[in-house]
C-alpha cells in the first residue's frame, strides 16, 4: 500500500485533479441517470427488518394475516349522541370516497357479506346441524322435550316460529343452532355503519384501505391529506376522532427521521465549522473538508442506489454520521501540514498516506462487517459508509495536492495538543496514579460487565410516540379487542382432516382462555361442525324424520290431512344426505376477512387454517400449550413473527460479537507483521479496552445490550484502530496527530454521538454506544505515543 | 377487531330479530296508551278475561286499513292523543295465533307489565306457564319447568341494519313523534266514528323489505287506549293470501305502581332501575336451574 504514493509522484498535481474531476463527473452523471430511471428514497421501516426463513405455508399465512391489517386505517368517531357519530361517519366515508386522488381504494364500515344468503345456506343444511343439547336429547331418544320446546315457540308472538318454518323444520331445531353458531360481540350496525356503545358514548367505526403502502412517502402524504380533508368536513359536529393504523406510525417515523436528519446533520455541521475555525483560524480547510464530504457522499449515494435501486431513509440518518469519519482525512492532512509547515501538500500526503490507507481498510472492514447482518437497511448503511469513505479517500489523494497547497498560518491549537501529550506522559510517569487508574478501570469493567443485560425484542427498538400508541389502545377498546400479531396455524393434508383438527384444537384453546392465557380466539370451527359430526347429526335426526314424524305432526297439531307434509319432510331429509357443510361453500358466501383464515393448498397439497388470537396475556404459556398439543393427521404451531425476528436479532447479536473478536484477531496478526510486538499489542489494545469500557458503561447505564449496540461496537473498533494507527505511524512528532485525533474524535462525537438523542431506539442505541466508545478511544489512544517514543 | 365474528352475529340476528323487534314495538305501543285513571287495580291473580267489549272484527278483516294511506293530518291528530305520562303500564293480554300450518289456533293469555327503566314482563299463564323478561338488551325466558335462558338481543342486533331501527322507533314513540315513524314505515290510518268514541286503526308497513319480512304488517287498533295489535305474516312463499295471523288484545290496563308479582320478576333477574338506553357487553349464556 505504501508503494502507491511513490508511483503517484509521477503524475503531476494537475493531472491528478483532472482524473478526479473526470471520475466524479461521471459518477454524478451516472447517479442522475439512476435517479431518473426510478430510484427512490424508501422510508418503509419494515424494509429494514430481517428476512425470516419459513416454510411456504407459514409464509403464506403470515402474508394473509399481514395483508388483513396492512395499509388499513381504522377510525372511530366518538360522540355522546349516536346519530351524531353515525352521521359523521357517513360524511367521512363520502369524503374519503370522493377524494380526487383516490388515496384509499376501499372505505367501509359494516361488512359487505350477504346475511340472508348465509342464513339460507345454513338452513339448507339444517339436517347436518345439532346443538349439544339436541344431540343429547336425540341420542337418548327423548323427543317429548323437543316437542314441548317447539310448542312453546309456536305460542310466542315474539318468536320467529311461523308456518313457513314449521313446515320445513317441525321441531324448530334450527334457531338454537343459529344461536350456538353465534359469537359474542358488542359491535352493532346501523345504516351501514358499524358502531359500538360504551358508557353512554357511541363510537362509529370506519375502515379505509390505502391504495398504496402507507410507507410510501407519496401515498402517505396523499392518504393524510385525504383524511385531514375529510376530518375538516366533519369539523362542525361535536365528535372526538380516534385513529389507528400503520399510516400514523409511518408518518411519525418519517417525520422524526426528517427532523433528526436536520437536527443531527445541522448540529454536527455547525459543530465542525466551529471546530475548524478554532483549530486552524481559517475556514480554508473547511472548504476542502466539505469537498471531501460531498464527494464521499455523492459516491456513497450513487453506489447505494446502483446496488439497491433505493435509498432507505434510515441509511441517510446513519449516513450523516459519515461526516464524522470522512472529515478525519482532511483534518489529518491539515494537522500534519500545520505541524510540518515546510512541506508542500505532496509531501504531507506522503507522510500520512500509509496510516490513511490502513485506516481506510480497517474502517471499510468494520463497515462490511455490519453488512453481514440480515437487515437490508443495515446492508445499505454498510455500503453507503464504505463507499463514502472511499470517495473521501480518493478526493484526498487526487484533489488535495493541487487544492490544498496554500500554506497555513501557525495556530495555537498545536500547542494545546502538545500540552495534552505532555500531560499524558507525566501522568504515566507516576506509578501510583497508573496503578490507581488501572484498578479503577478494572473495577469499572468488572462491575459493568456483571450488570450488562441483553434485550432482543424488536418492539423495544421502534417506539412510536406515546400519543399514537395511546390513541390506538383507546380505539382497540372500541373495536372490542384487537387481533394480536401472533396466530395459530393448523395444517393438514386434506380439508376434512383440517376441519377435524380445528375442532380438536378448540377445547385446548378454551382451556387456555379459562386459565387466562388469552381472552378470545376465533377459528372456522365455530362456524362449521366437522364432517364426522355432521354425519352423526344427520343420523340422529333420523329419529325425527324416519321414525317419529307422524307422531310429531300429530303432537304439534300440524295441518297434514293429505300426508303431503310428512312426505315432503321425509324426502327433504333423504335428499339432504350427500350435501355437507364445507369450508369452500362457507367461504364463498363469507366476506374476505373470513376467507383469509383458510389457506389454499400449496404445491405439496397441504391446506392450512389460521386461528386468530386476541388479548394474549401469557405468550410463553400458550406457546408451550400449543407445542404440546397433538392433533390427529394435522400439525399445529403458534406463529409469532415478532418473536422469531427478535430471536434472530439475538442470534445476530452474538454473531456480531464473534465477528468483532475475529476482526480483532486478524488485525493483531496483521499489525504483528508490521510493528514490533509491543506496539502491535498497544494498537489493538486501545480499541479493545475502549470496547470493554463501553460494554461496562452500558451495563452501568442499564441500557440492555442489543444488536444495534453490537453494530456500533464494530464501528468503535474500526475508528479506534484508526486512531491508534495514526499515533503509531506518526514518524516525527505526535502533536499533529494528537490535534488531528482530537479534531476527528470531536467531529465524530458530534456526528455519531448526537445519534444518542434520536427518538428511534435503534438509532439511539447505536449513537450511545459510539458516544461512549469513541470517547474512551480518544482518551486511551494518546498513550500509544509513550510506546512509540520509546521505540523510536 | 375480530371481523369473522360479525358473520355469526348476522346469522344470530335473523333469529332474534323478531323477538326483540316485536317486544320493543309492543312496549312502545303499550306505553303510548292513553290513561284511564279510573281503571281498577288489576293483580295477576285476577286473570278472568272479561269480554264486555263489543264484538271485535276478525283480525284478517283489519287489513282493510292498508287501503287507506295516512295523511299528515291523521297522524298529527293521533300524535296529539298519544301522550306519555305514565311510569308503569300493566294489565292482561289474550293472544290468538292463527298459523296456516296448524289445524287449530293457539290461544294463550296472561299478564304483562312495562316500566321504561326496568323493561317488560310477558307472563303467559295458560295453556302453560312461561315468562319472558326483557331488560335492556337482554331477553330472558323462564319456561314452565323453571329453565332460564338468556339471549342477548344485542348480539343479534350487532351489525344488523334492521334491528337498529327499533331503538329509533322507541324514541319516536316516546316523544309522541308518530310523524317520524314515516321515515321507516308506510303509514295507514282508518277511523270510524261509532258510539261517540272514535275507533281507529293504524297500519304500519316497513319500507325496508327485510324488516317487512321480519315484522310482517302491523295493525294497531285503539279507542281511548290501544287495545289490540294484529300482525299479518305471509305463511307461504307460493300463496300470498295464506297468512299467519297473531292477534293480541289488551284488557284491564292500568298505570298503578307495579304489582308485587311483576316487580318480583325483575327482582329475580337482579334488574334495578337504570336508564333504559345504556349498553353492556352481554353474551349468550344458557343456564339451567
Amino acid at each position: 500500500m505504501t508503494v502507491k504514493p511513490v508511483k503517484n509522484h509521477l503524475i503531476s498535481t494537475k493531472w491528478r485533479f483532472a482524473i478526479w474531476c473526470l471520475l466524479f463527473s461521471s459518477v454524478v452523471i451516472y447517479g442522475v441517470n439512476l435517479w431518473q430511471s426510478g430510484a427512490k428514497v424508501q422510508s418503509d421501516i419494515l424494509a429494514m427488518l430481517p428476512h425470516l426463513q419459513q416454510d411456504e405455508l407459514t409464509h403464506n399465512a403470515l402474508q394473509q394475516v399481514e395483508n388483513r391489517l396492512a395499509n388499513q386505517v381504522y377510525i372511530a368517531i366518538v360522540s355522546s349522541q349516536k346519530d351524531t357519530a353515525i352521521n359523521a361517519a357517513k360524511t367521512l366515508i363520502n369524503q374519503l370516497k370522493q377524494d380526487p386522488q383516490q388515496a384509499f381504494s376501499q372505505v367501509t364500515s359494516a361488512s359487505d357479506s350477504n346475511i340472508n344468503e348465509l342464513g339460507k345456506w345454513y338452513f339448507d343444511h339444517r339436517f347436518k346441524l345439532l346443538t349439544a343439547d339436541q344431540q343429547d336429547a336425540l341420542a337418548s331418544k327423548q323427543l317429548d322435550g323437543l316437542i314441548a320446546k317447539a310448542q312453546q315457540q309456536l305460542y310466542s308472538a315474539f318468536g320467529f316460529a311461523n308456518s313457513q318454518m314449521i313446515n320445513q323444520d317441525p321441531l324448530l331445531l334450527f334457531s338454537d343452532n343459529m344461536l350456538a353458531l353465534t359469537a359474542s360481540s358488542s359491535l352493532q350496525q346501523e345504516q351501514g355503519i358499524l358502531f359500538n356503545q360504551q358508557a353512554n358514548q357511541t363510537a362509529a367505526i370506519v375502515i379505509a384501505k390505502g391504495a398504496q403502502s402507507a410507507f410510501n412517502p407519496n401515498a402517505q402524504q396523499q392518504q393524510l391529506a385525504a383524511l385531514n380533508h375529510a376530518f375538516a368536513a366533519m369539523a362542525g359536529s361535536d365528535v372526538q376522532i380516534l385513529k389507528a393504523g400503520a399510516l400514523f406510525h409511518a408518518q411519525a417515523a418519517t417525520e422524526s427521521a426528517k427532523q433528526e436528519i436536520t437536527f443531527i446533520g445541522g448540529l454536527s455541521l455547525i459543530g465542525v465549522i466551529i471546530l475548524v475555525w478554532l483549530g486552524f483560524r481559517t475556514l480554508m480547510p473547511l472548504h476542502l473538508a466539505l469537498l471531501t464530504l460531498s464527494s464521499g457522499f455523492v459516491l456513497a449515494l450513487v453506489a447505494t442506489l446502483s446496488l439497491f435501486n433505493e435509498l432507505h431513509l434510515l441509511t441517510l440518518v446513519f449516513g450523516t454520521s459519515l461526516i464524522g469519519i470522512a472529515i478525519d482525512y482532511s483534518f489529518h492532512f491539515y494537522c500534519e501540514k500545520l505541524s510540518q509547515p515546510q512541506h508542500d501538500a505532496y509531501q504531507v500526503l506522503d507522510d500520512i498516506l500509509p496510516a490513511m490507507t490502513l485506516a481506510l481498510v480497517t474502517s471499510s472492514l468494520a463497515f462490511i462487517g455490519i453488512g453481514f447482518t440480515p437487515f437490508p437497511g443495515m446492508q445499505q448503511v454498510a455500503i453507503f459508509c464504505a463507499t463514502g469513505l472511499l470517495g473521501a479517500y480518493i478526493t484526498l489523494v487526487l484533489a488535495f495536492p493541487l487544492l490544498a497547497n496554500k500554506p497555513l498560518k501557525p495556530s495555537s491549537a498545536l500547542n494545546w495538543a502538545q500540552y495534552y501529550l505532555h500531560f499524558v506522559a507525566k501522568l504515566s510517569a507516576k506509578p501510583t496514579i497508573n496503578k490507581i487508574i488501572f484498578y479503577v478501570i478494572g473495577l469499572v469493567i468488572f462491575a459493568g460487565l456483571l450488570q450488562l443485560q441483553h434485550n432482543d425484542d424488536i418492539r423495544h427498538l421502534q417506539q412510536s410516540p406515546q400519543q399514537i400508541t395511546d390513541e390506538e389502545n383507546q380505539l382497540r377498546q372500541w373495536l372490542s379487542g384487537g387481533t394480536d400479531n401472533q396466530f395459530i396455524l393448523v395444517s393438514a393434508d386434506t380439508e376434512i382432516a383440517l376441519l377435524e383438527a380445528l375442532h380438536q384444537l378448540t377445547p385446548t384453546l378454551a382451556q387456555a382462555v379459562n386459565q387466562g392465557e388469552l381472552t378470545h380466539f376465533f377459528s372456522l370451527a365455530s362456524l362449521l361442525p366437522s364432517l364426522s359430526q355432521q354425519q352423526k347429526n344427520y343420523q340422529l335426526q333420523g329419529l325425527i324424520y324416519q321414525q317419529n314424524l307422524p307422531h310429531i305432526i300429530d303432537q304439534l297439531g300440524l295441518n297434514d290431512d293429505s300426508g303431503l307434509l310428512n312426505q315432503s319432510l321425509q324426502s327433504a331429509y333423504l335428499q339432504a344426505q350427500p350435501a355437507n357443510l364445507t369450508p369452500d361453500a362457507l367461504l364463498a358466501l363469507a366476506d374476505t376477512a373470513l376467507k383469509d383464515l383458510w389457506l389454499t393448498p400449496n404445491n405439496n397439497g397441504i391446506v392450512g387454517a389460521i386461528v386468530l388470537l386476541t388479548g394474549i396475556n401469557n405468550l410463553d404459556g400458550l406457546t408451550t400449550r400449543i407445542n404440546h398439543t397433538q392433533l390427529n393427521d394435522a400439525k399445529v404451531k403458534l406463529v409469532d413473527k415478532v418473536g422469531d425476528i427478535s430471536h434472530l436479532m439475538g442470534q445476530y447479536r452474538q454473531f456480531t460479537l464473534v465477528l468483532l473478536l475475529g476482526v480483532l484477531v486478524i488485525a493483531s496478526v496483521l499489525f504483528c507483521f508490521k510493528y514490533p510486538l509491543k506496539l502491535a499489542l498497544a494498537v489493538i489494545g486501545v480499541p479493545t479496552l475502549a470496547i470493554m469500557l463501553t460494554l461496562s458503561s452500558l451495563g452501568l447505564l442499564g441500557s440492555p445490550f442489543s444488536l444495534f449496540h453490537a453494530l456500533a461496537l464494530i464501528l468503535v473498533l474500526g475508528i479506534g484502530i484508526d486512531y491508534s494507527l495514526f499515533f503509531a505511524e506518526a514518524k516525527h512528532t505526535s502533536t499533529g496527530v494528537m490535534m488531528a485525533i482530537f479534531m476527528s474524535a470531536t467531529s465524530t462525537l458530534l456526528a455519531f454521538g448526537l445519534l444518542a438523542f434520536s427518538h428511534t431506539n435503534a438509532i439511539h442505541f447505536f449513537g450511545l454506544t459510539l458516544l461512549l466508545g469513541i470517547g474512551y478511544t480518544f482518551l486511551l489512544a494518546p498513550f500509544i505515543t509513550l510506546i512509540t517514543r520509546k521505540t523510536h | 377487531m375480530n371481523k369473522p365474528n360479525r358473520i355469526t352475529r348476522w346469522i344470530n340476528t335473523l333469529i332474534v330479530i323478531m323477538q326483540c323487534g316485536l317486544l320493543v314495538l309492543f312496549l312502545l305501543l303499550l306505553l303510548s296508551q292513553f290513561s284511564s285513571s279510573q281503571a281498577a287495580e288489576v293483580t295477576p291473580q285476577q286473570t278472568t278475561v272479561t269480554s264486555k267489549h263489543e264484538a271485535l272484527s276478525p283480525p284478517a278483516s283489519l287489513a282493510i286499513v292498508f287501503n287507506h294511506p295516512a295523511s299528515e293530518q291523521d297522524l298529527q291528530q293521533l300524535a296529539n292523543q298519544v301522550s306519555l305520562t305514565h311510569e308503569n303500564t300493566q294489565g292482561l293480554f289474550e293472544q290468538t295465533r292463527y298459523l296456516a300450518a296448524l289445524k287449530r289456533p293457539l290461544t294463550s293469555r296472561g299478564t304483562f307489565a312495562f316500566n321504561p327503566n326496568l323493561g317488560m314482563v310477558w307472563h303467559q299463564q295458560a295453556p302453560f306457564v312461561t315468562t319472558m323478561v326483557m331488560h335492556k338488551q337482554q331477553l330472558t325466558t323462564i319456561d314452565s319447568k323453571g329453565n332460564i335462558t338468556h339471549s342477548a338481543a344485542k348480539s343479534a342486533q350487532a351489525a344488523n341494519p334492521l334491528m337498529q331501527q327499533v331503538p329509533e322507533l322507541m324514541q319516536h314513540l316516546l316523544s309522541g313523534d308518530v310523524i317520524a315513524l314515516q321515515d321507516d314505515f308506510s303509514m295507514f290510518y282508518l277511523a270510524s266514528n261509532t258510539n261517540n268514541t272514535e275507533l281507529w286503526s293504524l297500519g304500519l308497513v316497513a319500507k325496508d323489505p327485510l324488516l317487512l319480512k321480519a315484522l310482517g304488517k302491523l295493525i294497531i287498533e285503539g279507542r281511548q287506549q290501544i287495545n289490540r295489535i294484529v300482525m299479518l305474516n305471509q305463511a307461504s312463499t307460493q300463496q300470498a293470501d295464506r297468512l299467519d295471523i297473531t292477534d293480541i288484545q289488551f284488557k284491564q290496563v292500568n298505570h298503578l305502581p307495579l304489582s308485587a308479582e311483576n316487580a318480583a320478576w325483575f327482582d329475580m333477574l337482579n334488574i334495578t332501575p337504570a336508564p333504559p338506553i345504556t349498553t353492556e357487553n352481554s353474551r349468550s349464556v344458557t343456564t339451567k336451574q
Side-chain angles (χ1 to χ4, degrees):
Chain A
M1 283 293 193
T2 43
V3 195
K4 204 178 162 192
V6 182
K7 242 191 197 169
N8 282 349
H9 267 293
L10 303 172
I11 314 165
S12 81
T13 52
K14 280 177 188 168
W15 272 112
R16 282 190 183 212
F17 188 65
I19 293 171
W20 182 83
C21 284
L22 199 71
L23 195 69
F24 273 91
S25 45
S26 53
V27 165
V28 167
I29 290 167
Y30 178 57
V32 169
N33 198 22
L34 268 180
W35 190 262
Q36 281 177 342
S37 60
K40 264 179 193 164
V41 173
Q42 167 76 272
S43 62
D44 187 348
I45 306 296
L46 299 181
M48 217 190 102
L49 293 178
H51 303 299
L52 279 178
Q53 299 216 319
Q54 291 142 344
D55 59 281
E56 191 191 338
L57 201 69
T58 312
H59 178 77
N60 291 345
L62 269 171
Q63 272 203 324
Q64 287 202 10
V65 169
E66 276 167 14
N67 282 341
R68 275 165 57 84
L69 306 166
N71 305 332
Q72 296 240 38
V73 175
Y74 290 92
I75 300 155
I77 300 157
V78 187
S79 169
S80 51
Q81 296 291 316
K82 194 181 82 184
D83 285 348
T84 315
I86 286 177
N87 287 333
K90 279 185 179 168
T91 317
L92 178 67
I93 291 176
N94 281 336
Q95 288 287 332
L96 289 181
K97 278 186 177 163
Q98 284 165 12
D99 176 48
Q101 289 177 308
Q102 291 293 312
F104 294 100
S105 59
Q106 224 184 345
V107 187
T108 51
S109 182
S111 176
D112 47 350
S113 81
N114 193 335
I115 313 158
N116 284 341
E117 297 247 323
L118 210 56
K120 190 178 173 300
W121 179 71
Y122 274 118
F123 188 73
D124 288 345
H125 293 86
R126 61 190 177 279
F127 300 110
K128 299 287 169 69
L129 293 170
L130 283 178
T131 65
D133 285 349
Q134 290 169 353
Q135 282 164 20
D136 289 348
L138 287 174
S140 55
K141 303 201 189 294
Q142 286 169 343
L143 272 180
D144 291 345
L146 292 176
I147 293 173
K149 220 174 162 202
Q151 212 127 33
Q152 225 175 68
Q153 291 193 56
L154 286 176
Y155 270 96
S156 169
F158 311 116
F160 69 109
N162 58 33
S163 294
Q164 287 182 43
M165 196 68 90
I166 26 177
N167 278 339
Q168 296 175 78
D169 181 19
L171 288 182
L172 299 166
L173 302 176
F174 183 66
S175 62
D176 280 358
N177 278 290
M178 281 291 98
L179 280 174
L181 287 168
T182 302
S184 67
S185 169
S186 52
L187 288 173
Q188 308 170 52
Q189 172 174 338
E190 185 172 307
Q191 302 171 51
I193 302 292
L194 196 68
F195 70 93
N196 195 351
Q197 291 183 311
Q198 283 171 13
N200 292 331
Q201 294 267 64
T202 301
I205 290 148
V206 175
I207 303 155
K209 193 163 179 68
Q212 282 173 290
S213 166
F215 296 104
N216 175 322
N218 287 335
Q220 199 181 92
Q221 286 310 316
Q222 280 180 9
Q223 289 173 21
L224 285 170
L227 281 177
N228 286 333
H229 186 250
F231 289 157
M234 303 191 305
S237 45
D238 178 26
V239 292
Q240 185 201 351
I241 295 168
L242 295 173
K243 42 199 193 308
L247 175 65
F248 307 104
H249 289 278
Q251 182 206 8
T254 313
E255 240 164 49
S256 93
K258 274 182 188 158
Q259 269 177 11
E260 280 166 10
I261 286 177
T262 328
F263 175 73
I264 294 171
L267 214 60
S268 68
L269 203 67
I270 292 169
V272 167
I273 289 173
I274 294 171
L275 194 69
V276 169
W277 178 252
L278 286 178
F280 305 109
R281 297 284 157 192
T282 165
L283 284 183
M284 180 59 195
L286 195 65
H287 290 298
L288 285 173
L290 280 180
L291 183 75
T292 323
L293 282 184
S294 45
S295 51
F297 200 75
V298 165
L299 192 68
L301 207 64
V302 172
T304 313
L305 283 178
S306 68
L307 277 178
F308 297 94
N309 205 32
E310 61 173 26
L311 187 69
H312 204 287
L313 209 58
L314 275 167
T315 311
L316 275 178
V317 175
F318 278 114
T320 52
S321 320
L322 185 67
I323 296 174
I325 303 182
I327 210 163
D328 288 3
Y329 295 162
S330 47
F331 282 162
H332 207 62
F333 175 87
Y334 271 101
C335 290
E336 191 65 26
K337 199 163 184 288
L338 199 63
S339 63
Q340 312 283 342
Q342 71 278 15
H343 286 191
D344 69 356
Y346 241 149
Q347 288 163 308
V348 172
L349 203 58
D350 272 355
D351 287 341
I352 62 165
L353 212 55
M356 209 71 89
T357 313
L358 257 182
L360 174 74
V361 170
T362 46
S363 299
S364 302
L365 268 179
F367 279 121
I368 287 165
I370 291 180
F372 277 110
T373 55
F375 294 83
M378 294 311 290
Q379 287 161 5
Q380 279 195 24
V381 170
I383 294 292
F384 190 90
C385 291
T387 47
L389 285 186
L390 188 69
Y393 179 84
I394 291 171
T395 309
L396 184 81
V397 172
L398 296 180
F400 270 46
L402 179 73
L403 299 179
N405 215 359
K406 217 171 145 194
L408 285 170
K409 279 181 239 161
S411 158
S412 56
L414 275 179
N415 297 336
W416 300 342
Q418 192 65 48
Y419 294 147
Y420 183 73
L421 281 177
H422 276 308
F423 172 70
V424 166
K426 253 191 231 165
L427 205 66
S428 56
K430 289 178 184 164
T432 43
I433 294 180
N434 266 357
K435 255 186 200 166
I436 291 172
I437 291 177
F438 185 76
Y439 285 130
V440 166
I441 289 179
L443 200 70
V444 164
I445 289 178
F446 181 73
L449 287 182
L450 276 184
Q451 296 263 314
L452 191 62
Q453 286 178 333
H454 62 84
N455 185 352
D456 300 313
D457 195 337
I458 56 164
R459 278 162 293 204
H460 194 58
L461 290 177
Q462 193 183 352
Q463 279 185 334
S464 289
Q466 192 65 32
Q467 191 206 341
I468 290 181
T469 325
D470 284 351
E471 205 173 323
E472 205 167 74
N473 286 338
Q474 268 180 294
L475 189 72
R476 257 171 206 257
Q477 286 179 349
W478 285 112
L479 290 171
S480 71
T483 303
D484 291 19
N485 291 320
Q486 294 81 4
F487 59 88
I488 291 170
L489 178 66
V490 184
S491 56
D493 291 334
T494 63
E495 297 202 337
I496 295 167
L498 184 57
L499 191 59
E500 208 77 50
L502 284 176
H503 278 276
Q504 277 180 43
L505 187 64
T506 304
T508 311
L509 288 174
Q511 208 183 348
V513 171
N514 275 341
Q515 304 210 341
E517 287 169 10
L518 76 164
T519 47
H520 186 68
F521 67 94
F522 179 81
S523 84
L524 283 178
S526 62
L527 296 180
L528 280 177
S530 70
L531 198 63
S532 59
Q533 187 61 53
Q534 288 183 39
Q535 278 157 1
K536 217 179 280 171
N537 289 344
Y538 184 81
Q539 277 162 8
L540 282 172
Q541 291 192 47
L543 187 71
I544 301 170
Y545 294 100
Q546 293 192 305
Q547 294 167 33
N548 293 296
L549 205 47
H551 171 68
I552 291 167
I553 289 175
D554 186 51
Q555 285 282 305
L556 289 175
L558 286 173
N559 203 347
D560 190 31
D561 296 333
S562 57
L564 278 174
L565 180 63
N566 188 331
Q567 223 173 353
S568 75
L569 282 171
Q570 280 201 34
S571 64
Y573 174 75
L574 290 174
Q575 277 167 15
Q577 208 256 332
N580 289 311
L581 295 146
T582 61
D584 282 346
L586 173 67
L587 297 177
L589 292 167
D591 69 355
T592 42
L594 205 56
K595 284 174 195 153
D596 288 342
L597 299 186
W598 197 259
L599 299 163
T600 45
N602 64 5
N603 294 337
N604 307 327
I606 295 173
V607 281
I610 292 167
V611 181
L612 293 176
L613 305 172
T614 305
I616 298 173
N617 298 319
N618 178 0
L619 185 57
D620 292 338
L622 188 64
T623 312
T624 321
R625 185 184 293 275
I626 295 301
N627 288 343
H628 284 90
T629 306
Q630 292 288 328
L631 300 179
N632 303 335
D633 306 322
K635 276 182 244 166
V636 60
K637 72 169 173 179
L638 191 107
V639 180
D640 177 12
K641 193 187 179 190
V642 173
D644 288 348
I645 293 179
S646 300
H647 183 67
L648 196 69
M649 299 263 289
Q651 283 182 337
Y652 276 95
R653 172 177 52 80
Q654 285 166 341
F655 170 75
T656 310
L657 286 179
V658 172
L659 193 79
L660 196 72
L661 211 66
V663 171
L664 268 176
V665 170
I666 293 170
S668 353
V669 171
L670 272 177
F671 295 148
C672 280
F673 284 114
K674 192 163 160 47
Y675 301 116
L677 185 66
K678 205 177 170 191
L679 186 57
L681 283 182
V683 166
I684 261 323
V686 166
T688 311
L689 197 58
I691 286 171
M692 299 288 274
L693 279 168
T694 309
L695 279 175
S696 51
S697 303
L698 287 173
L700 291 176
L701 284 173
S703 181
F705 197 67
S706 73
L707 178 58
F708 288 87
H709 292 98
L711 292 175
L713 282 183
I714 287 198
L715 268 181
V716 170
L717 175 68
I719 295 171
I721 288 181
D722 276 12
Y723 291 175
S724 31
L725 270 178
F726 290 156
F727 273 112
E729 282 286 320
K731 300 242 166 53
H732 314 285
T733 161
S734 308
T735 43
V737 177
M738 185 59 228
M739 185 182 162
I741 298 284
F742 172 74
M743 300 206 74
S744 61
T746 315
S747 57
T748 308
L749 285 181
L750 278 172
F752 275 124
L754 286 176
L755 290 181
F757 296 105
S758 169
H759 292 295
T760 309
N761 264 347
I763 300 178
H764 162 75
F765 291 155
F766 197 80
L768 183 67
T769 312
L770 278 164
L771 187 71
L772 293 168
I774 302 296
Y776 287 127
T777 314
F778 172 69
L779 290 176
L780 292 172
F783 286 93
I784 288 185
T785 52
L786 300 176
I787 297 166
T788 47
R789 269 194 201 161
K790 278 171 200 162
T791 43
H792 280 291
Chain B
M1 69 177 246
N2 223 336
K3 247 184 162 183
N5 278 349
R6 276 204 249 151
I7 302 235
T8 50
R9 270 180 260 127
W10 301 320
I11 296 162
N12 190 6
T13 303
L14 287 174
I15 296 150
V16 192
I17 175 168
M18 280 195 63
Q19 293 186 323
C20 313
L22 290 177
L23 258 175
V24 172
L25 264 177
F26 268 143
L27 309 186
L28 306 174
L29 295 167
L30 289 171
L31 195 67
S32 56
Q33 290 179 110
F34 347 131
S35 95
S36 63
S37 50
Q38 274 79 39
E41 185 179 354
V42 178
T43 64
Q45 280 80 21
Q46 296 174 293
T47 50
T48 41
V49 179
T50 51
S51 49
K52 287 171 191 167
H53 295 265
E54 66 268 40
L56 289 160
S57 44
S61 71
L62 289 174
I64 197 166
V65 71
F66 294 111
N67 295 333
H68 302 273
S71 68
E72 286 291 327
Q73 204 187 347
D74 294 335
L75 295 177
Q76 197 58 58
Q77 196 190 335
L78 195 61
N80 290 340
Q81 290 173 306
V82 177
S83 62
L84 193 81
T85 50
H86 307 291
E87 173 89 331
N88 301 311
T89 305
Q90 53 195 341
L92 307 178
F93 72 85
E94 191 179 306
Q95 172 194 295
T96 309
R97 297 195 83 198
Y98 305 90
L99 296 183
L102 295 186
K103 286 178 181 167
R104 296 170 292 273
L106 303 171
T107 304
S108 57
R109 59 179 189 277
T111 63
F112 73 92
F114 175 72
N115 174 293
N117 285 331
L118 298 175
M120 176 162 138
V121 174
W122 190 262
H123 177 58
Q124 179 185 308
Q125 291 165 319
F128 53 89
V129 178
T130 175
T131 310
M132 278 189 282
V133 181
M134 189 176 176
H135 169 64
K136 289 186 182 176
Q137 308 270 342
Q138 181 162 283
L139 177 68
T140 307
T141 311
I142 304 144
D143 72 9
S144 47
K145 289 173 192 157
N147 292 331
I148 299 181
T149 314
H150 300 285
S151 67
K154 191 167 177 188
S155 69
Q157 222 180 29
N160 183 290
L162 312 179
M163 280 310 296
Q164 308 308 324
Q165 312 261 0
V166 176
E168 221 167 300
L169 292 182
M170 181 182 235
Q171 249 190 344
H172 292 149
L173 276 166
L174 283 174
S175 55
D177 194 0
V178 183
I179 313 288
L181 286 174
Q182 288 184 101
D183 289 347
D184 299 310
F185 292 93
S186 305
M187 312 281 267
F188 301 89
Y189 184 78
L190 189 62
S192 59
N193 206 337
T194 54
N195 305 339
N196 290 332
T197 47
E198 195 179 40
L199 179 74
W200 52 264
S201 50
L202 181 71
L204 296 173
V205 177
K207 288 178 180 171
D208 186 314
L210 291 174
L211 189 60
L212 174 61
K213 202 179 167 200
L215 291 177
K217 291 178 177 176
L218 287 172
I219 302 154
I220 303 153
E221 203 181 58
R223 195 180 288 272
Q224 285 147 323
Q225 59 186 28
I226 291 175
N227 49 31
R228 188 182 191 189
I229 293 176
V230 174
M231 287 175 270
L232 306 173
N233 285 70
Q234 206 174 312
S236 153
T237 42
Q238 285 88 32
Q239 296 154 271
D241 57 334
R242 279 189 80 192
L243 290 175
D244 281 349
I245 299 165
T246 306
D247 182 3
I248 307 171
Q249 292 165 35
F250 301 103
K251 314 251 162 94
Q252 300 179 23
V253 177
N254 70 62
H255 302 285
L256 300 167
L258 285 182
S259 67
E261 286 74 15
N262 284 327
W265 287 116
F266 290 119
D267 286 346
M268 188 186 124
L269 299 169
N270 284 326
I271 294 166
T272 50
I277 314 176
T278 51
T279 55
E280 58 186 19
N281 292 332
S282 46
R283 44 174 71 205
S284 302
V285 186
T286 306
T287 44
K288 281 197 174 172
Q289 281 195 335

